Amino acid sequence: MEGAQSVQPLEELVFEQSGVHNLKEIQPIFSVREHTNSVDTLAVNPSKKSEFITGSHDKTMKLWDLNKPQKSLLTLTGHTQGVWCVNYHPGGAQVVSASPEGVAKLWDVKAGKSTANLAVHTKRVYWATYNQAGTHVATCGSDRLLAYWDLRKTTAPVSVNNQSESVILSCDFFNDGQYIILTTLEGDASIVSLQDNMNIIKHETIETNQRSNIAYCSHVVRQEEGVFLIGSENKLVTKYKFDQKDLQLEKQGFFKGHSNSVRHVSVSPSATHLLSTCEDHSLRLWDYHSYEPKVIFSGHHDNVTGGAFVDENTAVSCSWDLTIKIWKF
Amino acid sequence: MEKAAQRLETLSSHLVPQTTFNAGTVIPKSDDDIVIVAYARTAITKAGKGAQKDTNTEEMLVPVLQSVISQAKIDPKIIDDVCIGSVLQNGAGANQARMAMFMAGIPETTTVKAVNRQCSSGLEAVMEIANALRVKQIDFGIGGGVESMSQASLGSAFDPKKLSPKVYENKFAKDVATINMGITSENVAERFGIKREKQDQMALESQTKAVAATKNGLLQKEITPYKTLIKDKDGKATEVVVDKDDGVRETTLEALGKLKPVFKKEGGTTTPGNASQVSDGAACVLLTRRSIAKKMGLPIHGRILSYACAGVPPDVMGIGPAFAIPVALKKAGLTVNDIDVFEINEAFASQATYTIEKLSIPREKLNPRGGAIALGHPVGMTGSRMIVTLFSELHRTNKKYGIVSMCMGTGMGACGVFEKE
């Protein structure tokens, strides 16, 4: 791919009309409403792509089969408040959930039961995720802590970073599991080094020309070394590259087109496309390399909080409109 | 001797205060009068922030439709027609009105229609029902209005880019297409010399009256409470009771003076403080003819005396009421001096001030419980909401005559004249 796209100063950002005539708009092929309150998170089983889990403000998670989406397979209860984040273990048999209740939980998916509590946070837990090896979990939240857990001993975290000055909304492991990216309510993106005593070794404030720029989500790109994406209130998905050798952080470009805060971001299996979900009630499919918007997914009528690729041509999404939708493109 | 006694009687009659000052007469009561037998409104809440921000219009209408039916203790199947005014919804919300009707327990045999005469829609809807009653097309009807400005903005009415280019060749048509409501307020302020201080003064009075009406529980009594869902900033939906006009707040001239003009940055006078608030809400009125109300023993709150609309240039649409009010009063056989309560919509303090000054309307009789600046102006709801407020106040003070009037975007004014019994 060509070198880094030159970064425009944000003052010049204008809603681009060019290319809009190439933009396709699609409707969902299926929609189901079963959760009784806003749906906040969704994750597809990496080992079995026809299976996915959703988490909701109704305090439950639901397990779904894409081939029989009319009704969920299982409802997982246990949280005393909403489920704000769910992610699969790479093996696909376990998930981790995060809740404003103040804990993250590990679950045996098939049994539909919680197997452990990850309890260290004193306030809302916003995000929980596994490293690629599936040996460790990171959790983060309102108490500004990032906790690093060993799955063999869940009674206490291995280490905790308390250097963030702001509420941590998301976190993700880099491929080798040695670094963790975290994003905050104030628009910071920080990289924590596990080798360096769990210290923040790199920090960047995401650009905006507004007073507030909540950095809602982060996603480390599995297919490209050191690359990660951040979705934020500035309506962009920004792509960064972190070079572990010289500890340099470089902004590579951004995906521009949404008209509200970006809530979730993921990349297709072959890294051809990027899928973003947004408070503007839509999802967008982009060309991952050229930053070009390709398809707008219209159908939700509230904040789209989660979205994931099932394969290169299928995606599933969830929203505060209480529905889960399946899309083909 | 007789002649002197006669002269004395004639002279003394001149000293007795007259109930109407003009030469015209209010038509005497008759069985053909269109009477109001029930009225109801939801609370008015801030668009995007208040308790109704996630509530659809078809939901908002249900509690008020149910309320007027239960107030009058009628079987809903006797309602012939329902007319709901709404400005920002597609097709004036005709489908939503039908759905709301069903959800309120009104049977499919009752018909429904939607009307859009901009900000007078809630009043226009009531008058449409009144007119149908008058010619005996129907015997029982509900007129009302609803708006969710949380869900649809003033700018959503039409896309200026999609209009015919010929629009721009006609002065008035072009004004409709290009001038927003705020600029019409600035035009009125400039053309008729309504200074910033006067506008802030009206805003202060509106809030002060509304604060007092809140403290005395008067606004509360007008409201039909109901439960709805509201999503917090994290997305969690919880049930809330909608029972308070949330736009009302204490203010001072100083605080109002600090606000910056929003529509015309340089030399503008219209600020968020002296303009109506963007809000959500629904209201409705149950009407019939006096003959039917008497036969059924229904409570008669009052009757409709007249209704008039007047057209004015779109770029100064705010002056509309100053033209509609005299026409409606004349048709009612009344003058400004006869009216006890003037409910005049405060779309902007500029145009409301212009109206009361031009017609010499006494300030103390204007919007005694506060107006749209303090309460909010859910555009489709307002016309019917002001009828609820008007009659509540006429009942409380045991006064007789009132008007409901407003300006409308695109250049109109409307006025309905009412008599309480």
Side-chain angles (χ1 to χ4, degrees):
Chain A
M1 143 202 165
E2 233 182 40
Q5 185 189 68
S6 72
V7 178
Q8 289 166 266
L10 276 160
E11 301 81 67
E12 285 171 23
L13 274 179
V14 156
F15 190 95
E16 269 182 0
Q17 292 297 314
S18 68
V20 156
H21 55 277
N22 290 326
L23 204 53
K24 225 173 65 171
E25 188 170 332
I26 64 169
Q27 311 292 318
I29 58 159
F30 185 80
S31 184
V32 61
R33 182 178 153 141
E34 210 184 281
H35 277 293
T36 56
N37 210 312
S38 298
V39 190
D40 232 30
T41 181
L42 180 153
V44 169
N45 186 336
S47 300
K48 186 180 171 199
K49 296 291 178 79
S50 61
E51 178 186 290
F52 64 97
I53 280 198
T54 53
S56 162
H57 281 275
D58 70 6
K59 306 176 200 167
T60 73
M61 293 190 295
K62 285 178 184 286
L63 184 69
W64 305 82
D65 179 350
L66 204 73
N67 302 313
K68 276 180 291 170
Q70 297 84 353
K71 193 160 150 21
S72 66
L73 300 172
L74 196 59
T75 299
L76 295 89
T77 56
H79 274 298
T80 59
Q81 286 191 47
V83 178
W84 286 6
C85 179
V86 67
N87 272 306
Y88 268 92
H89 182 275
Q94 185 189 86
V95 296
V96 66
S97 62
S99 169
E101 170 194 345
V103 292
K105 283 180 187 286
L106 299 175
W107 305 75
D108 177 332
V109 177
K110 241 205 180 105
K113 287 203 163 22
S114 164
T115 55
N117 272 357
L118 303 176
V120 73
H121 292 286
T122 53
K123 293 188 188 165
R124 293 133 71 114
V125 186
Y126 273 94
W127 202 278
T129 191
Y130 294 87
N131 62 353
Q132 257 210 311
T135 55
H136 291 78
V137 160
T139 60
C140 60
S142 277
D143 57 8
R144 298 180 281 115
L145 300 181
L146 173 75
Y148 178 62
W149 307 78
D150 184 331
L151 288 175
R152 292 166 303 183
K153 182 172 162 268
T154 55
T155 47
V158 169
S159 50
V160 170
N161 173 293
N162 62 1
Q163 294 170 318
S164 178
E165 289 176 355
S166 169
V167 168
I168 309 174
L169 298 179
S170 79
C171 54
D172 205 1
F173 284 88
F174 282 87
N175 288 345
D176 61 4
Q178 293 306 307
Y179 297 89
I180 298 173
I181 174 76
L182 63 87
T183 67
T184 74
L185 197 66
E186 309 272 312
D188 310 299
S190 302
I191 299 180
V192 167
S193 167
L194 264 46
Q195 297 157 335
D196 218 311
N197 242 334
M198 270 295 272
N199 277 322
I200 291 179
I201 52 123
K202 206 76 195 157
H203 167 269
E204 168 111 342
T205 302
I206 300 158
E207 258 187 79
T208 181
N209 51 6
Q210 304 297 319
R211 232 175 286 156
S212 166
N213 190 21
I214 303 171
Y216 284 103
C217 58
S218 51
H219 177 76
V220 169
V221 179
R222 300 287 157 229
Q223 302 91 329
E224 255 196 306
E225 194 63 46
V227 174
F228 63 93
L229 304 153
I230 293 186
S232 51
E233 200 181 353
N234 66 5
K235 309 172 195 163
L236 310 175
V237 175
T238 313
K239 193 199 280 190
Y240 293 89
K241 188 176 161 94
F242 171 56
D243 189 323
Q244 292 179 14
K245 277 187 248 92
D246 53 18
L247 298 183
Q248 287 288 58
L249 191 54
E250 181 200 3
K251 179 158 57 191
Q252 293 203 314
F254 45 79
F255 299 79
K256 179 175 62 171
H258 275 301
S259 51
N260 211 319
S261 304
V262 177
R263 291 301 197 119
H264 195 271
V265 145
S266 56
V267 175
S268 69
S270 68
T272 331
H273 292 118
L274 182 141
L275 183 71
S276 56
T277 76
C278 185
E279 263 184 58
D280 68 8
H281 305 184
S282 78
L283 295 98
R284 279 193 182 218
L285 186 79
W286 315 73
D287 183 313
Y288 173 73
H289 297 287
S290 74
Y291 303 93
E292 208 188 316
K294 287 284 181 211
V295 186
I296 297 180
F297 297 32
S298 293
H300 280 298
H301 52 86
D302 206 330
N303 185 8
V304 187
T305 46
F309 285 95
V310 172
D311 58 38
E312 289 299 324
N313 306 101
T314 316
V316 65
S317 64
C318 66
S319 161
W320 284 0
D321 70 7
L322 275 63
T323 67
I324 286 143
K325 297 192 190 302
I326 303 172
W327 314 78
K328 281 242 180 265
F329 45 89
Chain B
M1 265 296 128
E2 250 171 63
K3 228 175 167 194
Q6 230 175 34
R7 262 191 75 74
L8 199 61
E9 214 180 292
T10 315
L11 280 172
S12 63
S13 78
H14 291 177
L15 296 170
V16 168
Q18 292 184 281
T19 51
T20 167
F21 286 81
N22 73 337
T25 46
V26 174
I27 61 163
K29 293 201 180 131
S30 83
D31 275 357
D32 287 333
D33 287 334
I34 307 307
V35 296
I36 293 172
V37 298
Y39 47 79
R41 73 168 178 93
T42 66
I44 303 168
T45 58
K46 294 186 203 179
K49 293 181 220 170
Q52 295 172 110
K53 73 176 183 74
D54 297 316
T55 307
N56 287 0
T57 53
E58 64 275 10
E59 265 189 82
M60 267 188 242
L61 278 166
V62 174
V64 296
L65 290 170
Q66 287 174 333
S67 175
V68 295
I69 292 166
S70 73
Q71 280 175 50
K73 295 191 183 49
I74 56 165
D75 184 333
K77 72 170 190 257
I78 70 173
I79 301 167
D80 296 300
D81 202 11
V82 173
C83 182
I84 302 294
S86 183
V87 181
L88 304 176
Q89 297 178 85
N90 283 335
N95 292 292
Q96 290 86 335
R98 184 98 174 120
M99 295 171 207
M101 201 194 95
F102 288 141
M103 295 193 292
I106 302 175
E108 77 283 7
T109 44
T110 302
T111 50
V112 78
K113 65 174 164 175
V115 75
N116 178 355
R117 202 201 278 269
Q118 312 293 348
C119 300
S120 72
S121 296
L123 177 64
E124 179 72 32
V126 168
M127 295 305 173
E128 290 248 330
I129 295 294
N131 292 343
L133 285 165
R134 225 179 272 282
V135 301
K136 301 195 171 88
Q137 177 187 319
I138 59 173
D139 294 330
F140 250 103
I142 295 178
V146 67
E147 207 74 62
S148 170
M149 299 182 82
S150 290
Q151 300 188 352
S153 67
L154 276 174
S156 63
F158 63 86
D159 182 352
K161 299 195 288 288
K162 292 191 175 156
L163 293 172
S164 162
K166 292 193 176 162
V167 162
Y168 298 89
E169 296 162 25
N170 175 296
K171 185 217 182 301
F172 284 150
K174 182 176 165 198
D175 287 350
V176 172
T178 56
I179 302 180
N180 71 40
M181 293 298 106
I183 297 296
T184 69
S185 171
E186 292 292 355
N187 289 344
V188 168
E190 199 182 295
R191 231 167 279 181
F192 303 104
I194 315 288
K195 291 201 160 50
R196 169 74 186 261
E197 294 75 32
K198 266 196 187 157
Q199 296 180 45
D200 285 351
Q201 180 61 32
M202 170 160 286
L204 177 72
E205 285 168 16
S206 186
Q207 285 289 8
T208 306
K209 287 181 282 187
V211 166
T214 304
K215 284 210 178 98
N216 297 328
L218 300 180
L219 292 174
Q220 219 68 6
K221 285 200 203 109
E222 291 178 33
I223 293 169
T224 298
Y226 73 101
K227 289 193 194 140
T228 190
L229 288 177
I230 183 172
K231 278 190 200 134
D232 64 18
K233 65 167 174 58
D234 300 312
K236 186 165 91 178
T238 46
E239 204 173 63
V240 283
V241 179
V242 184
D243 61 356
K244 191 167 160 39
D245 295 327
D246 67 2
V248 179
R249 66 186 179 285
E250 296 264 14
T251 189
T252 61
L253 267 183
E254 203 192 333
L256 288 164
K258 288 201 182 114
L259 297 172
K260 295 197 176 68
V262 283
F263 302 103
K264 193 167 144 185
K265 304 282 159 103
E266 290 300 317
T269 54
T270 304
T271 72
N274 60 31
S276 55
Q277 295 176 44
V278 178
S279 314
D280 305 325
C284 71
V285 178
L286 178 63
L287 306 121
T288 184
R289 283 188 302 281
R290 187 185 299 281
S291 54
I292 298 169
K294 272 158 61 175
K295 198 162 65 171
M296 294 180 65
L298 299 176
I300 293 174
H301 291 287
R303 61 175 174 153
I304 296 175
L305 291 180
S306 71
Y307 180 53
C309 294
V312 298
D315 64 342
V316 285
M317 66 93 198
I319 66 175
F323 291 83
I325 293 171
V327 177
L329 285 174
K330 182 151 184 220
K331 286 185 198 291
L334 295 167
T335 67
V336 166
N337 291 334
D338 299 315
I339 304 298
D340 300 305
V341 178
F342 296 81
E343 280 290 326
I344 298 177
N345 195 38
E346 297 161 3
F348 299 97
S350 62
Q351 51 84 219
T353 303
Y354 169 83
T355 301
I356 62 170
E357 285 184 352
K358 179 113 200 295
L359 303 180
S360 305
I361 289 171
R363 282 188 106 89
E364 62 277 9
K365 292 186 180 174
L366 172 72
N367 303 331
R369 298 180 177 194
I373 290 173
L375 300 172
H377 174 34
V379 287
M381 174 206 195
T382 289
S384 42
R385 191 279 297 171
M386 290 201 285
I387 295 175
V388 175
T389 305
L390 176 74
F391 271 88
S392 302
E393 183 66 8
L394 287 173
H395 274 311
R396 184 187 76 89
T397 54
N398 202 19
K399 297 271 167 68
K400 198 162 181 201
Y401 296 114
I403 68 156
V404 166
S405 177
M406 68 286 285
C407 55
M408 296 96 92
T410 73
M412 290 181 274
C415 175
V417 183
F418 302 85
E419 179 187 14
K420 179 195 82 69
E421 316 229 321

